[in-house]
Amino acid sequence: MEQNYPIKRIIDDKGILVDASYEQTINEELVKDLYYNMLRIRTYDRKSINLQRQGRLGTYAPFEGQEAAQVGSALALEENDWVFPTYRDHGATLTFGKSMTRTFLYWNGRVEGCVPPEGRNIFPPAVPIATQLPHAAGAAWAEKLRGTKNASIAYFGDGATSEGDFHEGLNFASVFKVPVVFFNQNNGYAISVPMEKQMNSKTIAQKSVAYGMPGIRIDGNDCLAVYFETKKAFDRARNGDGPTLIEAVTWRKGAHTTADDPSKYRPAEQGQHIVDPMERMELFMKNYGYWDEQWIEEIKEKTMNEVEAAVEEMENYPAPNVEDVFDHVYAVMPKQLAEQKESYLAHLERR
Ligand SMILES: Cc1ncc(C[n+]2csc(CCOP(=O)(O)OP(=O)(O)O)c2C)c(N)n1
Ligand SMILES: [Mg+2]
């Protein structure tokens, strides 16, 4: 099975173009756009870890190492598409247009952190594993019934493929032939459980066979391969050809979350051979004359300033409304909850 799903690459570990058919399609604007967005989200990600360590942010799920998978896929979307992320996909949602201030607010438990900007179809991050796959299939079905060209993307991890929702989402999408891309980031682990203890299949891509849809396996650290393969899957979706399962093989460089210690379950040498996605793009840019020191300095400063401004805005955000804790759980509030709310508000009043 594994040999039926070879890993697609456009650039290799040394930044050499290995698929000549892309020679004419790759241009400076695209390369710089991919690199800039990877730098931007890495700056955000590293800042988030620092803030968590200083007690200024809640528990945080880092994505360093997965930038190419998240940026390449998010830049392949069109403005009116739908994005269904997990807790680890803030790099993708930031690239697609979610506000950075609101992304920080999310990690401080604020409901405002789940609200995307106007005109951006981004669902709140799914923390219950795989629940977003049926949602993505449903949104795509709605777009199909409306007769639009919009499609949806569901982000999920290797571990999520063990959940019933993964199978239900793929089956539904296939049967109703809806415009959805199932974008798997195979980072090798579901918290402490390695892929080989999670499943007997050698790849995630091969699971597409059961649902009669194409399965594509790509090097998730090759931003160009991710971008072009995701675009192809979206073209299929928009043309009425139904869903695609993409497996982007990548690596989570850090911990599962800031509450986790990967040295307890991951051998230190594992993953050492993997060339970082940004380093790889840098090598490619240097090899083909896209590297521009002055531009790099400019974007480093720009992303730093953006991140610092977003942190300041997050920290000066109006205090939360305590009623939010009660108001957004049920469409119609049950009697017991209404009583609790009333009694809590009365308690605050007395204080
Ligand atoms: C339904 C459900 N079961 C268990 C958990 C606990 N949990 C949180 S993250 C995680 C691992 C998910 O691994 P994977 O899908 O590979 O995503 P990754 O964290 O590697 O990005 C688990 C089991 C959960 N959040 N939801
Ligand atoms: Mg995983």
Side-chain angles (χ1 to χ4, degrees):
M1 259 298 178
E2 210 174 352
Q3 58 271 25
N4 293 340
Y5 295 92
I7 295 186
K8 292 195 183 190
R9 284 181 146 188
I10 293 180
I11 54 174
D12 70 7
D13 284 347
K14 296 195 168 65
I16 303 291
L17 190 74
V18 288
D19 186 339
S21 66
Y22 285 93
E23 215 162 323
Q24 302 303 319
T25 345
I26 295 171
N27 59 50
E28 180 169 356
E29 194 187 344
L30 173 65
V31 170
K32 283 189 160 175
D33 204 11
L34 295 171
Y35 188 84
Y36 166 74
N37 278 287
M38 286 199 282
L39 175 71
R40 177 173 177 259
I41 66 168
R42 178 165 291 186
T43 310
Y44 151 83
D45 189 58
R46 289 185 176 176
K47 182 73 186 183
S48 300
I49 296 172
N50 290 344
L51 291 174
Q52 192 279 333
R53 295 293 185 236
Q54 294 165 14
R56 293 158 71 189
L57 212 65
T59 302
Y60 178 76
F63 54 71
E64 182 156 337
Q66 301 184 206
E67 289 91 347
Q70 297 200 14
V71 165
S73 55
L75 283 184
L77 311 179
E78 297 291 338
E79 221 176 37
N80 294 318
D81 289 336
W82 291 82
V83 176
F84 293 81
T86 75
Y87 48 82
R88 205 184 301 289
D89 301 311
H90 296 274
T93 51
L94 282 167
T95 304
F96 187 57
K98 186 165 171 183
S99 125
M100 197 177 283
T101 302
R102 285 183 180 269
T103 306
F104 281 128
L105 283 169
Y106 171 81
W107 289 110
N108 267 338
R110 297 290 298 268
V111 68
E112 294 88 343
C114 291
V115 181
E118 286 306 322
R120 276 289 183 271
N121 301 322
I122 306 174
F123 256 57
V127 177
I129 304 300
T131 49
Q132 72 281 19
L133 276 76
H135 300 165
W141 193 25
E143 293 290 0
K144 180 178 173 171
L145 292 174
R146 283 188 189 138
T148 73
K149 286 281 179 197
N150 306 329
S152 66
I153 186 167
Y155 287 93
F156 58 102
D158 38 290
T161 67
S162 301
E163 288 283 356
D165 279 343
F166 166 79
H167 303 278
E168 290 158 20
L170 266 72
N171 189 57
F172 187 99
S174 165
V175 167
F176 291 90
K177 219 175 179 191
V178 305
V180 56
V181 176
F182 295 106
F183 190 86
N184 174 260
Q185 286 168 87
N186 179 357
N187 63 9
Y189 280 83
I191 315 186
S192 58
V193 181
M195 182 176 160
E196 55 280 11
K197 283 194 183 161
Q198 178 93 223
M199 62 193 79
N200 281 330
S201 43
K202 296 273 182 253
T203 73
I204 304 280
Q206 74 195 62
K207 301 188 186 204
S208 61
V209 175
Y211 303 102
M213 68 174 78
I216 313 288
R217 197 162 189 240
I218 43 180
D219 183 335
N221 295 340
D222 174 350
C223 205
L224 285 161
V226 175
Y227 173 78
F228 285 110
E229 288 302 327
T230 311
K231 257 211 167 336
K232 275 190 217 164
F234 269 95
D235 286 346
R236 275 178 36 79
R238 289 185 222 288
N239 286 335
D241 295 329
T244 304
L245 171 62
I246 295 180
E247 173 186 2
V249 181
T250 182
W251 182 247
R252 183 190 88 210
K253 286 171 73 177
H256 172 71
T257 68
T258 48
D260 168 57
D261 174 6
S263 73
K264 294 269 187 283
Y265 56 83
R266 240 174 32 178
E269 62 286 356
Q270 204 187 349
Q272 290 297 325
H273 64 286
I274 297 166
V275 180
D276 177 87
M278 289 192 64
E279 266 173 54
R280 191 132 136 214
M281 193 57 128
E282 179 175 335
L283 289 171
F284 172 76
M285 290 170 81
K286 286 179 172 162
N287 288 338
Y288 295 89
Y290 295 119
W291 191 254
D292 172 352
E293 282 296 342
Q294 198 192 328
W295 178 74
I296 295 293
E297 287 313 311
E298 278 167 24
I299 61 168
K300 273 189 185 160
E301 197 182 325
K302 185 178 163 187
T303 50
M304 267 304 202
N305 290 342
E306 183 192 1
V307 170
E308 291 302 335
V311 172
E312 199 181 321
E313 206 182 341
M314 178 267 289
E315 294 194 321
N316 290 304
Y317 212 76
N321 179 358
V322 288
E323 299 189 21
D324 285 350
V325 173
F326 302 95
D327 287 348
H328 302 295
V329 183
Y330 296 95
V332 180
M333 196 182 288
K335 192 168 146 273
Q336 293 88 335
L337 191 58
E339 283 168 11
Q340 281 178 33
K341 179 179 169 182
E342 210 170 294
S343 123
Y344 186 64
L345 292 177
H347 163 78
L348 289 181
E349 192 103 335
R350 282 197 300 276
R351 267 205 334 199

